[in-house]
């Protein structure tokens, strides 16, 4: 999943780097609104949901994706032939006659209507990521088979262009390290408590309904509003958990399911990244080796050991006093609670472009640690602005609300401190980050119990052996829990999100073969980087 993450990499280099800061997926505009039709029997499952017929049987007013004169993404979607609409859903599925909200959707219609397979729904991860912008990108990834699907993007409830939620936080997300000592941890306890309180003060009436299970219910309403008996699904990262939840809540209503970078549902929760330290250390080490080969460009060291020692020096300096980066009006001060987050987010992708971007960041921090002025690039400035200010408050608010609404977190701060101290000896850089406390420790308890797997599901699970976000172990665990599933492994990649993004022809071909035929491979398959 992505919690500063767990993130799926968005689809343009600049957006990817900004989003890598916190799993941000860029939103696009929608303007169409649905008109409710008289309930009919055209949709499987509507009658099974007492009081929900009007949602399942609504007719969508498909139209332009442009919301405002400066909505360039909406214009791009329109130019590509994508249409947009809003789906009306109940805030609380136990009170379907009560308050309603809207979920933004987009549709790239099948052009090979003679051989049309159906509709495929997209989720880009997060939690809190959007996908209204994604159908053209996925159509390209699907190659010939893409023409046989209606490709459906949607912004889950309270994200992107759906009904919004914003707690008005002073930070974009609450995921930082405890730093070198107790003082940093205590500051983060106070911050986490204040962020939770701010959400209760501003959005108490909706927080209990910002959950994965309700998003899965929304997905089934989307299926009904599309007039589909079954719907296929492509989910990345946290989207694999959402897809798994859908298969458990609505068995028999899905067709082809691709889960890329999967999460073990038994491990899902606010502290999921506790189990990812080893993979992130390996990814950081691999990045350091690459960076050592580019010493003349970045000046961070000629060996892996020297590069990692540079990071240690930066951390030690930042622990004594915050580093100053940038020039007015964009001046940022980073201490030892911030830098591990930047490093953690920077190693989610092992492509040269992403490694170069992280090397640039560390070079800027290294110069700042020496007292030298170094202006970050516009992309790094954008990332720092997102990470260290409230610019992305809405994103962080929703992401946290989903995590806290899905599963409870321990409430005693001392438990987190003990875990941090235990982790620090073996993992001094990332341990105080992944073990740190967050707002979920101060959140109201979830309304529903977490989803458990009780039904088999014949999904195709795609995973890289070195995935630093949703670890390969999570994909293997989900595969074990779904006996009819098949596991497609990419060996040798430290990468989160593969299909259509990483450029591995073997992975893309095998996923497209499944989407075209509906037949899973006879056995688990392996590709190499």
């Amino acid at each position: 999943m992505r919690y500063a993450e767990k993130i799926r990499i968005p689809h343009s280099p600049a957006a990817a780097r900004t989003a890598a800061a916190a799993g941000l997926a860029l939103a696009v505009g929608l303007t169409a609104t649905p008109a409710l039709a008289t309930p009919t029997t055209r949709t499987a499952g509507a009658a099974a949901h007492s009081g929900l017929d009007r949602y399942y049987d609504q007719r969508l007013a498909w139209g332009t994706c442009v919301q405002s004169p400066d909505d360039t993404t909406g214009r791009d979607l329109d130019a590509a032939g994508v249409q947009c609409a809003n789906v009306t859903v109940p805030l609380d599925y136990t009170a379907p006659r009560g308050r309603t909200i809207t979920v933004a959707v987009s549709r790239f219609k099948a052009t090979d209507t003679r051989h049309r397979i159906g509709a495929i729904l997209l989720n880009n991860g997060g939690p809190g990521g959007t996908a209204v912008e994604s159908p053209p990108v996925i159509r390209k990834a699907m190659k010939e088979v893409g023409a046989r699907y209606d490709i459906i993007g949607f912004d889950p409830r309270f994200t992107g262009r759906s009904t919004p939620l914003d707690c008005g936080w002073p930070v974009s997300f609450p995921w930082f390290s405890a730093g070198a000592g107790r003082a940093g941890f205590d500051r983060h306890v106070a911050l986490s408590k204040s962020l939770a309180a701010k959400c209760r003060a501003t959005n108490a009436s909706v927080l209990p309904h910002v959950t994965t299970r309700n998003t899965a219910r929304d997905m089934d309403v989307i299926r009904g509003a599309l007039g589909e008996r079954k719907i296929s699904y492509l989910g990345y990262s946290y989207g694999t958990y959402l897809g798994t939840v859908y298969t458990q809540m609505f068995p028999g209503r899905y067709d082809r399911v691709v889960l890329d970078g999967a999460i073990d549902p038994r491990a899902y929760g606010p502290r999921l990244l506790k189990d990812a330290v080893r993979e992130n250390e390996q990814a950081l080490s691999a990045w350091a080796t690459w960076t050592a080969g580019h010493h003349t460009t970045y000046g961070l060291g000629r060996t892996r050991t020297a590069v990692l020692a540079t990071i240690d020096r930066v951390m030690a300096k930042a622990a004594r006093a915050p580093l100053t980066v940038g020039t007015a009006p964009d001046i940022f001060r980073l201490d030892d609670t911030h830098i591990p987050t930047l490093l953690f987010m920077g190693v989610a992708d092992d492509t040269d472009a992403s490694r170069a971007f992280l090397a640039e960041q560390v070079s800027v921090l290294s110069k700042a640690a020496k007292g030298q002025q170094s202006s970050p690039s516009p992309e790094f400035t954008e990332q720092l602005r997102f990470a260290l200010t409230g610019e992305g408050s809405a994103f962080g608010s929703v992401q946290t609300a989903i995590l806290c609404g899905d599963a409870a977190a321990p409430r005693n701060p001392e438990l987190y401190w003990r875990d941090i101290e235990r982790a620090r000896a073996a993992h001094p850089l990332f341990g105080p980050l992944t073990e740190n406390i967050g707002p979920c420790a101060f959140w109201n308890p979830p309304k529903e119990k977490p989803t458990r797997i009780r039904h088999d599901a014949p999904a195709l699970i795609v995973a890289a052996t070195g995935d630093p976000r949703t670890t390969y172990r999570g994909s293997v665990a989900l595969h074990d829990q779904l006996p009819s599933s098949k596991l497609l492994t990419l060996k040798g990649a430290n990468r989160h999100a593969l299909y259509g993004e990483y450029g591995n022809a073997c992975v893309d071909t095998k996923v497209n073969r499944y989407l075209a035929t509906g037949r899973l491979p006879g056995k688990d398959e392996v590709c190499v980087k």
Side-chain angles (χ1 to χ4, degrees):
M1 123 180 127
R2 294 183 199 220
Y3 184 33
E5 177 172 328
K6 295 160 207 184
I7 25 194
R8 178 169 181 286
I9 306 301
H11 299 303
S12 73
R17 291 192 269 267
T18 301
L24 176 64
L26 302 180
V28 298
L30 299 169
T31 56
T33 56
L36 297 185
T38 302
T40 69
T41 57
R42 70 184 180 93
T43 303
H49 296 273
S50 176
L52 296 175
D53 301 53
R54 71 185 181 107
Y55 300 106
Y56 275 88
D57 293 313
Q58 65 186 287
R59 297 196 182 274
L60 305 181
W62 294 103
T64 180
C65 296
V66 177
Q67 270 200 328
S68 64
D70 60 352
D71 183 6
T72 57
T73 304
R75 287 199 297 272
D76 289 344
L77 288 172
D78 281 0
V82 176
Q83 295 177 307
C84 292
N86 286 336
V87 178
T88 299
V89 298
L91 171 67
D92 181 354
Y93 275 85
T94 67
R97 296 185 181 277
R99 177 180 170 184
T100 63
I101 58 175
T102 58
V103 174
V105 296
S106 62
R107 179 180 66 180
F108 203 154
K109 293 193 71 173
T111 53
D112 185 359
T113 55
R114 184 178 179 182
H115 302 99
R116 183 181 182 274
I117 294 169
I120 185 168
L121 196 62
L122 312 177
N123 183 272
N124 288 338
T130 63
V132 161
E133 71 278 12
S134 296
V137 178
I138 298 303
R139 169 64 65 86
K140 182 178 180 181
M142 293 173 74
K143 297 184 170 62
E144 293 82 4
V145 72
R148 300 173 61 191
Y149 280 91
D150 286 357
I151 303 175
I152 310 296
F154 80 109
D155 291 353
R157 54 173 50 205
F158 300 108
T159 71
R161 297 302 175 92
S162 298
T163 297
L165 183 154
D166 188 348
C167 298
W169 283 357
V171 293
S172 296
F173 60 94
W175 205 67
F176 298 106
S177 173
R182 181 74 193 213
F185 174 72
D186 288 341
R187 289 197 303 273
H188 202 72
V189 170
L191 173 65
S192 297
K193 189 173 184 179
S194 70
L195 296 179
K198 201 165 184 61
C199 277
R200 279 194 300 273
T202 56
N203 291 278
S205 64
V206 303
L207 290 180
H209 312 292
V210 190
T211 66
T212 297
R213 288 179 65 85
N214 278 331
T215 298
R217 294 178 177 110
D218 295 344
M219 287 168 54
D220 204 55
V221 170
I222 293 170
R223 176 195 60 78
L226 293 172
E228 300 288 342
R229 188 175 66 87
K230 294 183 177 182
I231 196 162
S232 295
Y233 180 79
L234 168 62
Y236 296 84
S237 191
Y238 160 81
T240 67
Y241 177 70
L242 172 61
T244 301
V245 169
Y246 184 81
T247 68
Q248 300 308 297
M249 294 180 66
F250 300 98
R253 299 188 195 171
Y254 58 88
D255 184 12
R256 298 158 206 201
V257 176
V258 178
L259 306 176
D260 189 325
I263 294 171
D264 179 356
R266 298 168 301 188
Y268 171 80
R271 306 188 79 193
L272 175 63
L273 286 186
K274 283 167 57 72
D275 298 326
V277 173
R278 184 179 65 193
E279 285 80 3
N280 279 275
E281 289 178 340
Q282 291 172 347
L284 183 66
S285 180
W287 166 83
T289 298
W290 180 93
T291 302
H294 297 79
H295 175 73
T296 55
T297 302
Y298 303 108
L300 298 176
R302 298 185 182 279
T303 66
R304 177 185 63 84
T305 300
V307 173
L308 295 176
T310 297
I311 290 177
D312 289 342
R313 287 193 295 272
V314 169
M315 283 291 294
K317 183 71 173 181
R320 291 192 292 270
L323 308 182
T324 300
V325 171
T327 56
D330 292 309
I331 298 176
F332 307 96
R333 290 177 174 82
L334 297 88
D335 60 28
D336 60 335
T337 70
H338 303 126
I339 293 169
T341 303
L342 295 175
L343 295 170
F344 193 93
M345 295 183 295
V347 297
D349 183 357
D350 64 2
T351 61
D352 285 353
S354 291
R355 283 177 165 172
F357 183 57
L358 179 57
E360 174 214 321
Q361 296 177 54
V362 176
S363 178
V364 169
L365 296 174
S366 178
K367 291 176 181 177
K370 297 173 183 176
Q372 302 171 6
Q373 184 170 347
S374 179
S375 298
S377 67
E379 292 86 357
F380 189 22
T381 297
E382 187 178 3
Q383 185 182 56
L384 290 171
R385 191 183 303 121
F386 183 85
L388 301 177
T389 74
E391 183 176 276
S393 168
F395 172 80
S397 301
V398 176
Q399 185 177 80
T400 304
I402 295 169
L403 285 165
C404 303
D406 282 345
R411 304 189 73 85
N412 182 3
E414 294 307 314
L415 180 148
Y416 295 89
W417 178 245
R418 289 194 295 270
D419 288 349
I420 288 168
E421 290 292 88
R422 278 195 295 267
R424 193 189 302 278
H427 310 289
L429 181 62
F430 289 139
L433 173 66
T434 61
E435 300 285 352
N436 204 10
I437 198 169
C440 294
F442 306 99
W443 217 260
N444 290 342
K447 284 193 67 174
E448 295 186 82
K449 294 181 179 179
T451 302
R452 296 291 178 246
I453 291 183
R454 306 186 191 282
H455 308 284
D456 192 9
L460 180 61
I461 301 171
V462 184
T465 53
D467 188 332
R469 292 296 169 271
T470 54
T471 68
Y472 184 68
R473 286 172 284 118
S475 291
V476 171
L478 180 61
H479 178 38
D480 289 343
Q481 294 170 69
L482 301 175
S484 296
S485 68
K486 291 295 183 287
L487 179 61
L488 173 57
T489 298
L490 177 62
K491 287 189 172 181
N494 298 317
R495 164 70 189 214
H496 184 59
L498 298 174
Y499 170 68
E501 300 223 352
Y502 194 49
N504 185 276
C506 176
V507 168
D508 292 353
T509 298
K510 292 180 184 297
V511 172
N512 284 337
R513 182 181 301 134
Y514 166 60
L515 292 174
T517 65
R519 294 190 297 271
L520 288 167
K523 61 181 181 179
D524 295 341
E525 295 187 326
V526 176
C527 295
V528 296
K529 180 180 175 182

